[in-house]
Amino acid sequence: MPRLPMIADDKMTDAQRRAVNSITSGKRGRVGGPFPALLRSPTLCERTASLGEFLRFETSLPPRLSEMAIIITAHYWRAQYEWFAHAPLAQKGGLADDIIEAIRVGKRPAKMAADEEALYNFCTELHEKKRVSDATYKKAVEVFGETAVAEIIGLSGYYVLVSMALNVSGVELPAGEKLPFPE
């Protein structure tokens, strides 16, 4: 049982109901993942969901790359549920299974396309060193442009927040699912 489960309808404040309505009327259509935990602060929940909707569905990156950035973050934060939810989306978006598995186990993928390598280098350096070198930044801008680099930063930061909310609240995988990261 998660520490911060969904709040029962009859226990919600008006602000919490507004946040739920805002989320369910958007592209997600449901209040899951980190949002039951964040609902304790309805304004935070609603604004987080709005930012997440943009980052998940509207960036200039194709799903293969945006989901790659998300699973890199899930790996660094050992966010079990985030990995469970986004690794299949990375696969569906066209990211190769061997790349997904290498990221899961913390190894550099052996074969990546140029854009995947630029994104991998940028995201892993950002998570490991808390900044990126001039060379890594320059390469990312050459490959993606400044707008997409800003979006990669946003994806990485947003999914750190999501990872924290999931990990602190203890969102569990569905029964029978194997944990992607040993505890």
Side-chain angles (χ1 to χ4, degrees):
M1 181 85 172
R3 289 178 180 157
L4 298 168
M6 186 62 185
I7 300 168
D9 290 341
D10 63 336
K11 304 284 187 206
M12 280 189 207
T13 66
D14 289 342
Q16 289 168 329
R17 279 189 199 86
R18 281 192 300 276
V20 166
N21 289 338
S22 175
I23 294 168
T24 57
S25 67
K27 291 183 180 180
R28 279 189 179 81
R30 65 181 193 87
V31 179
F35 300 109
L38 297 177
L39 192 55
R40 274 63 185 179
S41 175
T43 302
L44 173 63
C45 183
E46 190 170 0
R47 291 181 185 177
T48 300
S50 177
L51 176 59
E53 190 170 295
F54 165 73
L55 290 169
R56 175 98 186 281
F57 302 110
E58 300 172 24
T59 69
S60 61
L61 297 167
R64 171 178 58 89
L65 295 175
S66 61
E67 293 296 335
M68 184 178 180
I70 294 166
I71 65 171
I72 289 170
T73 304
H75 162 76
Y76 277 95
W77 279 87
R78 295 297 192 251
Q80 308 283 10
Y81 189 86
E82 186 170 307
W83 184 274
F84 165 79
H86 288 276
L89 295 173
Q91 184 183 43
K92 181 180 176 185
L95 193 62
D97 290 342
D98 60 325
I99 294 174
I100 295 168
E101 179 60 11
I103 292 168
R104 186 187 70 78
V105 299
K107 296 190 187 240
R108 181 179 184 84
K111 291 173 57 178
M112 293 182 276
D115 57 355
E116 293 165 346
E117 184 173 23
L119 183 120
Y120 179 85
N121 292 341
F122 188 93
C123 291
T124 57
E125 194 172 312
L126 181 58
H127 285 292
E128 290 176 2
K129 298 183 178 180
K130 313 306 180 226
R131 57 193 29 84
V132 295
S133 67
D134 289 343
T136 299
Y137 175 79
K138 181 180 177 190
K139 184 64 175 177
V141 170
E142 285 174 12
V143 171
F144 302 113
E146 288 181 337
T147 297
V149 168
E151 293 168 348
I152 293 166
I153 296 165
L155 278 161
S156 297
Y158 174 80
Y159 280 95
V160 167
L161 168 63
V162 170
S163 295
M164 289 177 171
L166 292 168
N167 288 352
V168 169
S169 66
V171 175
E172 298 173 339
L173 301 186
E177 291 291 336
K178 182 181 173 194
L179 293 176
F181 309 113
E183 293 190 319

